[in-house]
Amino acid sequence: MLRLLPAHPILQAKRLSFLPSCSRCIREARLRTYASVTDLARYPKQGEKLQGFTLIRAEHVPELELTAIQLKHDKTGADYLHVAREDKNNVFSIGFKTNPPDDTGIPHILEHTTLCGSKKQAYSPDFYKLLMLPRSLSNFMNAFTSSDYTSYPFATTNRQDFKNLMSVYLDATLHPLLKENDFTQEGWRVGPKNPKLSENGELQEKGDDQLVFKGVVYNEMKGQMSDAGYLYYIRFQDHIFPAIHNSGGDPQKITDLTHDQLKSFHANHYHPSNAKIFTYGDMPLRDHLKDFGSRLDLFSKIKQDLEIRLPIKLENGPIDITVKGPIDPLVDADMQYKTSTSWLLNDTSNVLETFSIGILSSLLLDGYGSPLYRALIESGLGPEWSPNTGYDSSGKIGILSIGLTGVKETNLPLIKETIQKQLAETLHAGFDRRKVEGLLHQMELGLKHKTAHFGMGLLQRLKPGWFNGVDPFDSLAWEKTVSAFKKKYDEGGYLEGLLEKYLLNDNTFTFTMEPSTTYAEDIAAEEQSRLQSKISDIIKQTGSEQEARERLKLRELELLKVQEKARDEDLSCLPSVHVKDIPRIKDKTELKSSSLGEVKIQWREAPTNGLTYFRAVNTFQNLPDGLRLYIPLFNDAIMRLGTKNQTMEELEDLIKLKTGGITVGYHSSTSPTDVHTSSEGLVLSGYALDRNVPAMYELLRSVIVETDFESPEAENKIKQLLQATASGSADSIAGSGHAYARRYAGASLTPQGRVNEAIGGLTQVEFSSNLAARDPSQGLHDVIQSLKTIQKSAIENSYTMRVALNCGTESTEANAKYLEQFLGSLSSTSSPFHSSTVESYSRDVKTFFPLPYQVYYTAFALETVPYTHIHSAPLQILAQLLTHKRLHHEIREKGGAYGGGAYANGLGGIFGYYSYRDPNPQNTLQIMANTGVWARDRGWTARDIEEAKISVFQSLDAPQSVSQEGMRFFLNGINDTMLQERRERLLDVTAAGVKEVAQEYLVNVAHKGNFVVLGEKSENFPGNGEWIIKDIGMNKS
């Protein structure tokens, strides 16, 4: 999996949420009694040797309830960090420094091919999707290619599973086969579009013999480059950081990579001397060292890749770069520019300064009241931040970027000028202490908030700096860092000094992407020219075009044979957990219930570290379809407009000072007993320290009840929200097109499918984009009236509300009192909607959405049965079987798509297939159409069924954060009896049961399903007649 973009830097408060902040919580941490796993006395002393490792240092970090131990492997120099913590969700990762030598994507393609088999475990399919996922109870397993390192992490609560996965990961990374067939499958090749032969030896369809570029990574990156936001970011990186090439790969350069280069890169980089190993959790350190110490001893030390590459130098004044990019079809024609200005800042190994600049970045950029938001977005210069906006501390040198998308050409000179002017004004005005305290308060809550995936989050925060010279112990020393920050801040002028030191100069890099009406055509023409050049090279080698085509066809058919053989390959060499390891009886979550008038309350009493988690669903009755489309805008607006008495900036400050955040969103759920019965409503949520719960309720009441839709600024702010939504829609579809296709395919099948499409599907994209494009002369009066109608219902129908509170037993009594006060502040007047005509979506149809992408997204969906139906469990098992045993083989390995599979929405009552970044949708649709018969006729083995069950229970038994406990019942009505019954049914599924549901739902009623394809309309596809072409205004170059 490619991971080039850092977490969005605008969200600095959230990114720093693990940090401690207040002396009170630190004192509490010191007073706690820690379990022995974190006791320093149980570990060797500095300099002692253990299992071929030398202990470098060990430190206890009380505020994070952990002990960190750093060791060095004596023979190879491998760097190892173990974090001991009382947490059963153990984490492992091995990572390597992989500075890319060019833009061929060699680290990315190596990440894929490494997981296609090792010398000890000579499997050949895709490890992640096909092999270890159905053989493991892990709750996280993946691999990531970042800009200058590659990592292979997993997390599991099962100790045997941990040992199994660690063994496979070490073998796969250190001893891969790296076969040429795996390179051509995962990387790139030239071959006939669809080489399958019919019985008489002729190709099945017109155009099947057309030679095209193929390869999983090649098509993945074509899809990435269709995302204009990613394209802007990666071209920005190309110019400000040319020493770090595109590790994911540029499709125009990927086809230069050779198999020999791949093997050489592995030999030089995937070596213990170049590795950083990380473990986390409650498993003994000695066991880890014993398990992998002997494996590392097989290697001798080599020269490490210690090079930390740096960005360009800017000390000689400003640099301006302009490149061409695609048109955004959902944004006004005169608002097509993207631009940003960047500064090179500090050495990120200075952890205090990095932390402080993170705070500075948040103060400048985060929230509607931030000075740069007001100066740039609220002023109308652009609707949304550019993709690189914020502070990026993932490299050796920190980079702060500030920019906009959706900019008019005439406004380009104003952007940098406005930024510099606002920075100077901010220096003069200084920073409000309350805003700084609000950010520190967010960190305090982040420290207290008990997450189920703390270890994985810690790994993701440590890795970038660790590979770029930041001491991980400095990164873990939150108390020290925050205390040092507070001391400097209290001295006065500290943040202002950083602003002046780093930003009040013109040593800047301004990067602009201008629109090109021929961009898509130019990309296609370049690819065709490059393809013809590759074909010409092959013709020179073979002597004739006919011989070249024959050779490519034979190679493709040989690859198909290898891929087909892999489907039934003996994988007994791979370790596995077993269904017998899964407990048949699941511990119940103890819930209590009460009521206040007509409002039902669910209580989950558990240790929450002094926090209270609140959720409420205010149910809508007979919500008109036309009004439903406004719900996403309503949810955005009430967190943007402010009230008559408080600006949104003032409200944001209070939210940060008093809560961990409050949200208002949309919720819908299908009945567990009937797929045609569903409910919907607004969901309110928030969490706070117990002492601040009344303030949290008052803030929720303010945004729901008092948001002022009539203020003079309201219409302009709503217009900006619409423009920001439209600006991000095309990139959202490019990144998750399969999810949009699936949503539309299910829209006509069930009531929940219909409302989910209206709220978050292509229907919503078209609706919000049309509002954003509305002529200013029309105004938004009707829009505002609709938003006020929704607000009125949310205020007056509090009697339809139900509430869930998760808190400690010590705060239950106080929370009951606070909740009663909150509910009393809302109106209980009945204001129901009148029934309206239900908007319908066509059933049993094929729908094509023309979109300006280089690859396709497909989906097929069928209605099935409710959650409690006896067939729901075998359908869920069948979805796993089809993903791992058919669709991934056919769609990804053979077809070259980045992803494909089956899904069973047990609660929603929908079963379907999908493909993602797919170069060959016709082939995929044919595979989908034949899958039901294939599943019915397949001779499923006991091992097949066992692996599918293990896959299902990965998510079913994944650890939960305390804030999520009880939510299955509260949000979806699934009680413990239903949950236990389904658990037993899943464990008892048989091959015969799978075949039965395949016949009944995938064969007998296949004609009642919906096909959906998103992508570029071509001469041969989708053709005429059987497809409905639905244009949502994105079919532009």
Side-chain angles (χ1 to χ4, degrees):
M1 176 180 287
L2 178 68
R3 173 172 286 181
L4 293 177
L5 289 136
H8 200 295
I10 292 299
L11 306 177
Q12 283 293 331
K14 295 183 178 62
R15 288 180 66 193
L16 299 170
S17 61
F18 279 101
L19 308 185
S21 57
C22 71
S23 57
R24 183 181 63 79
C25 70
I26 292 168
R27 287 195 302 272
E28 288 177 358
R30 289 197 183 110
L31 294 174
R32 294 193 189 104
T33 300
Y34 291 97
S36 59
V37 71
T38 62
D39 187 353
L40 276 172
R42 63 181 286 145
Y43 296 102
K45 303 300 181 184
Q46 184 175 357
E48 289 187 20
K49 296 186 180 297
L50 186 68
Q51 300 289 340
F53 286 82
T54 299
L55 191 142
I56 306 301
R57 55 182 166 167
E59 290 184 15
H60 183 53
V61 185
E63 63 270 26
L64 297 180
E65 302 177 8
L66 59 82
T67 292
I69 304 101
Q70 185 179 21
L71 304 100
K72 186 78 72 175
H73 185 241
D74 297 331
K75 190 174 181 183
T76 66
D79 198 4
Y80 174 34
L81 178 66
H82 175 67
V83 176
R85 196 168 187 260
E86 284 295 340
D87 188 343
K88 293 182 180 180
N89 198 20
N90 287 271
V91 175
F92 170 86
S93 172
I94 184 168
F96 306 93
K97 186 73 171 178
T98 50
N99 284 316
D102 49 41
D103 291 335
T104 59
I106 191 168
H108 189 191
I109 294 172
L110 180 58
E111 176 220 308
H112 281 241
T113 51
T114 292
L115 297 177
C116 287
S118 69
K119 293 174 182 177
K120 180 179 178 181
Q121 295 152 342
Y123 46 84
S124 55
D126 177 0
F127 162 91
Y128 170 63
K129 284 287 187 184
L130 294 181
L131 300 182
M132 289 313 298
L133 268 182
R135 306 173 75 86
S136 163
L137 289 170
S138 63
N139 53 76
F140 186 92
M141 187 197 314
N142 216 326
F144 297 112
T145 301
S146 298
S147 296
D148 54 2
Y149 66 92
T150 306
S151 58
Y152 298 80
F154 68 79
T156 180
T157 59
N158 184 291
R159 294 199 170 200
Q160 185 58 51
D161 194 29
F162 185 97
K163 291 176 180 290
N164 292 348
L165 288 173
M166 185 168 67
S167 172
V168 172
Y169 265 53
L170 289 170
D171 280 325
T173 55
L174 298 176
H175 306 284
L177 294 174
L178 300 182
K179 295 182 290 188
E180 188 166 7
N181 275 338
D182 297 327
F183 169 71
T184 56
Q185 172 186 288
E186 297 297 318
W188 76 275
R189 65 190 184 278
V190 175
K193 183 177 181 181
N194 192 357
K196 294 180 181 178
L197 299 180
S198 61
E199 291 181 3
N200 61 8
E202 295 180 356
L203 291 164
Q204 293 178 335
E205 296 181 8
K206 179 183 177 181
D208 279 350
D209 59 348
Q210 176 187 354
L211 294 178
V212 296
F213 282 125
K214 308 178 89 170
V216 172
V217 170
Y218 184 80
N219 284 309
E220 176 190 353
M221 297 314 298
K222 283 181 68 176
Q224 282 280 174
M225 292 298 193
S226 295
D227 180 334
Y230 172 85
L231 180 66
Y232 179 87
Y233 178 85
I234 206 66
R235 294 296 181 238
F236 162 78
Q237 286 288 101
D238 288 344
H239 286 86
I240 198 170
F241 224 136
I244 293 285
H245 294 278
N246 185 343
S247 63
D250 187 327
Q252 296 182 6
K253 302 296 183 182
I254 287 175
T255 52
D256 292 336
L257 183 64
T258 69
H259 182 226
D260 286 341
Q261 289 171 332
L262 183 85
K263 291 190 294 183
S264 176
F265 190 83
H266 176 272
N268 292 330
H269 293 81
Y270 277 47
H271 188 281
S273 298
N274 203 41
K276 294 190 184 298
I277 301 169
F278 175 90
T279 54
Y280 162 92
D282 65 356
M283 292 180 66
L285 170 64
R286 289 178 183 270
D287 288 358
H288 293 329
L289 295 176
K290 182 178 179 181
D291 286 340
F292 60 70
S294 60
R295 296 172 185 266
L296 302 187
D297 285 339
L298 298 174
F299 294 83
S300 298
K301 191 169 186 177
I302 67 169
K303 182 180 180 181
Q304 295 174 286
D305 182 0
L306 299 176
E307 182 184 6
I308 297 174
R309 299 185 179 179
L310 302 176
I312 61 175
K313 295 184 180 298
L314 294 176
E315 65 265 28
N316 293 325
I319 295 175
D320 294 83
I321 298 290
T322 300
V323 300
K324 294 189 180 301
I327 297 286
D328 188 332
L330 296 179
V331 174
D332 289 349
D334 65 343
M335 297 173 60
Q336 292 290 332
Y337 285 80
K338 300 177 177 70
T339 189
S340 63
T341 295
S342 303
W343 290 260
L344 303 182
L345 307 184
N346 64 313
D347 183 333
T348 55
S349 62
N350 182 335
V351 172
L352 171 60
E353 200 163 71
T354 299
F355 174 86
S356 303
I357 294 173
I359 296 285
L360 174 64
S361 174
S362 288
L363 292 169
L364 291 172
L365 295 162
D366 192 11
Y368 296 119
S370 63
L372 286 166
Y373 182 92
R374 292 198 309 266
L376 295 171
I377 296 180
E378 192 170 286
S379 69
L381 290 176
E384 185 60 282
W385 298 114
S386 61
N388 60 333
T389 292
Y391 178 47
D392 179 3
S393 59
S394 60
K396 176 67 173 175
I397 301 298
I399 301 175
L400 182 73
S401 301
I402 304 167
L404 297 172
T405 65
V407 177
K408 296 179 179 180
E409 183 177 10
T410 55
N411 284 339
L412 284 175
L414 296 177
I415 305 300
K416 180 179 176 182
E417 177 185 322
T418 302
I419 292 170
Q420 292 179 317
K421 178 181 178 183
Q422 186 59 57
L423 291 175
E425 290 178 0
T426 301
L427 175 66
H428 178 73
F431 292 105
D432 187 339
R433 172 173 284 271
R434 280 168 53 88
K435 294 183 185 295
V436 176
E437 291 173 348
L439 290 173
L440 294 176
H441 178 255
Q442 295 295 298
M443 297 172 200
E444 176 188 356
L445 297 193
L447 180 67
K448 285 180 167 288
H449 177 54
K450 290 188 174 183
T451 71
H453 302 284
F454 181 93
M456 191 58 66
L458 191 66
L459 170 65
Q460 300 297 348
R461 284 160 175 77
L462 291 177
K463 276 193 307 183
W466 193 12
F467 277 101
N468 282 285
V470 179
D471 187 333
F473 280 68
D474 288 345
S475 298
L476 288 171
W478 305 132
E479 176 183 355
K480 179 181 177 181
T481 300
V482 176
S483 297
F485 169 79
K486 287 182 175 181
K487 181 179 179 181
K488 283 186 170 292
Y489 181 72
D490 288 341
E491 290 171 358
Y494 175 53
L495 291 173
E496 291 81 1
L498 291 175
L499 171 60
E500 184 173 22
K501 175 182 177 181
Y502 287 117
L503 301 178
L504 290 189
N505 59 70
D506 203 20
N507 297 327
T508 57
F509 176 79
T510 298
F511 183 74
T512 302
M513 182 171 280
E514 64 180 15
S516 168
T517 56
T518 62
Y519 185 83
E521 290 87 347
D522 294 342
I523 292 293
E526 187 281 331
E527 182 180 46
Q528 192 59 33
S529 173
R530 182 164 32 92
L531 175 63
Q532 292 306 314
S533 176
K534 295 294 182 184
I535 294 172
S536 296
D537 291 342
I538 299 170
I539 291 173
K540 290 177 183 178
Q541 296 171 14
T542 59
S544 71
E545 181 176 351
Q546 181 178 354
E547 181 62 28
R549 286 182 174 275
E550 187 64 24
R551 177 183 292 188
L552 291 171
K553 182 176 72 173
L554 289 175
R555 186 181 72 173
E556 197 73 14
L557 291 172
E558 179 61 31
L559 180 59
L560 286 174
K561 289 178 183 178
V562 171
Q563 292 165 335
E564 192 60 37
K565 181 182 177 182
R567 188 202 304 274
D568 300 310
E569 195 168 6
D570 179 13
L571 302 177
S572 58
C573 63
L574 287 169
S576 177
V577 293
H578 301 281
V579 170
K580 63 181 175 60
D581 299 322
I582 302 171
R584 189 170 181 84
I585 307 298
K586 183 71 172 176
D587 292 339
K588 295 182 179 180
T589 300
E590 184 179 347
L591 302 175
K592 297 179 180 179
S593 61
S594 65
S595 60
L596 282 171
E598 296 183 74
V599 177
K600 295 181 179 180
I601 307 163
Q602 172 184 296
W603 295 88
R604 169 57 179 162
E605 295 177 337
T608 60
N609 248 356
L611 297 175
T612 291
Y613 299 92
F614 166 83
R615 280 184 187 81
V617 175
N618 196 355
T619 305
F620 290 136
Q621 302 289 342
N622 301 317
L623 179 66
D625 285 339
L627 208 54
R628 181 179 297 108
L629 289 166
Y630 286 97
I631 293 289
L633 179 59
F634 173 80
N635 294 336
D636 288 341
I638 65 172
M639 300 302 293
R640 171 67 186 100
L641 300 184
T643 70
K644 291 182 178 178
N645 299 318
Q646 291 176 295
T647 66
M648 198 63 228
E649 179 181 4
E650 292 170 331
L651 289 169
E652 283 180 331
D653 289 345
L654 287 171
I655 289 169
K656 290 175 182 176
L657 280 167
K658 298 296 183 180
T659 79
I662 61 172
T663 61
V664 180
Y666 173 81
H667 172 70
S668 68
S669 181
T670 298
S671 165
T673 60
D674 180 7
V675 297
H676 292 286
T677 299
S678 65
S679 64
E680 63 179 329
L682 286 180
V683 59
L684 320 177
S685 63
Y687 74 97
L689 293 167
D690 291 340
R691 68 174 184 267
N692 288 332
V693 169
M696 176 183 71
Y697 284 143
E698 175 57 25
L699 287 163
L700 279 166
R701 189 199 66 80
S702 294
V703 298
I704 297 165
V705 176
E706 297 181 359
T707 290
D708 186 6
F709 289 98
E710 298 286 356
S711 71
E713 303 86 11
E715 183 167 325
N716 184 53
K717 291 178 179 178
I718 291 170
K719 178 73 172 178
Q720 289 173 347
L721 290 173
L722 289 167
Q723 289 175 334
T725 298
S727 176
S729 291
D731 294 347
S732 176
I733 298 172
S736 304
H738 62 305
Y740 283 91
R742 281 170 49 167
R743 205 172 285 124
Y744 194 85
S748 68
L749 301 178
T750 66
Q752 188 189 11
R754 182 175 61 84
V755 300
N756 284 347
E757 167 60 23
I759 291 291
L762 295 168
T763 300
Q764 177 62 214
V765 170
E766 182 178 26
F767 175 76
S768 57
S769 297
N770 286 340
L771 288 181
R774 180 182 285 189
D775 190 290
S777 63
Q778 290 182 258
L780 296 175
H781 177 74
D782 59 323
V783 174
I784 290 174
Q785 291 308 307
S786 294
L787 299 178
K788 290 174 65 177
T789 301
I790 296 171
Q791 181 187 37
K792 184 173 185 289
S793 176
I795 294 170
E796 296 184 350
N797 293 332
S798 63
Y799 73 97
T800 68
M801 189 179 290
R802 65 182 191 274
V803 172
L805 284 164
N806 291 22
C807 61
T809 53
E810 72 281 358
S811 60
T812 300
E813 183 177 347
N815 270 320
K817 180 182 70 174
Y818 299 149
L819 178 62
E820 184 174 12
Q821 294 170 352
F822 171 61
L823 294 175
S825 70
L826 303 177
S827 171
S828 59
T829 305
S830 175
S831 181
F833 296 110
H834 299 293
S835 338
S836 63
T837 303
V838 174
E839 180 178 342
S840 61
Y841 296 88
S842 300
R843 296 191 66 152
D844 320 331
V845 298
K846 297 178 178 180
T847 308
F848 183 86
F849 289 84
L851 301 176
Y853 304 138
Q854 300 177 54
V855 287
Y856 295 83
Y857 307 87
T858 72
F860 173 73
L862 284 161
E863 179 188 340
T864 56
V865 294
Y867 182 87
T868 55
H869 193 282
I870 195 170
H871 284 164
S872 183
L875 281 167
Q876 189 172 357
I877 298 297
L878 177 59
Q880 293 296 322
L881 289 167
L882 293 179
T883 295
H884 297 302
K885 299 299 181 182
R886 176 169 169 81
L887 297 176
H888 189 83
H889 283 291
E890 299 292 336
I891 295 173
R892 175 171 167 139
E893 291 186 347
K894 294 182 181 180
Y898 182 47
Y903 63 98
N905 184 338
L907 186 61
I910 292 176
F911 189 98
Y913 318 123
Y914 67 93
S915 72
Y916 178 66
R917 292 180 179 164
D918 189 344
N920 195 352
Q922 301 100 310
N923 180 59
T924 296
L925 296 175
Q926 185 176 8
I927 291 165
M928 291 177 175
N930 296 332
T931 291
V933 172
W934 185 91
R936 179 198 63 192
D937 296 342
R938 168 85 170 178
W940 299 109
T941 67
R943 182 66 217 178
D944 292 337
I945 302 299
E946 170 133 325
E947 289 180 355
K949 291 176 182 178
I950 291 170
S951 295
V952 167
F953 276 89
Q954 287 172 353
S955 57
L956 197 62
D957 284 355
Q960 274 192 325
S961 300
V962 65
S963 61
Q964 295 300 314
E965 293 176 359
M967 288 304 108
R968 279 196 189 99
F969 179 63
F970 178 71
L971 294 175
N972 302 312
I974 300 173
N975 60 35
D976 283 335
T977 300
M978 294 176 184
L979 198 61
Q980 181 59 37
E981 185 177 62
R982 185 177 185 84
R983 185 181 191 85
E984 293 174 11
R985 286 175 176 171
L986 286 166
L987 290 170
D988 293 340
V989 168
T990 64
V994 167
K995 286 170 158 292
E996 179 185 357
V997 296
Q999 175 67 44
E1000 183 164 346
Y1001 301 102
L1002 307 191
V1003 178
N1004 292 350
V1005 296
H1007 61 284
K1008 295 184 178 180
N1010 299 322
F1011 283 99
V1012 175
V1013 177
L1014 282 56
E1016 190 171 32
K1017 195 174 186 296
S1018 67
E1019 182 180 351
N1020 298 322
F1021 185 74
N1024 298 316
E1026 61 178 348
W1027 286 86
I1028 296 173
I1029 311 298
K1030 188 167 178 59
D1031 192 341
I1032 61 171
M1034 291 182 63
N1035 191 24
K1036 303 175 185 176
S1037 298

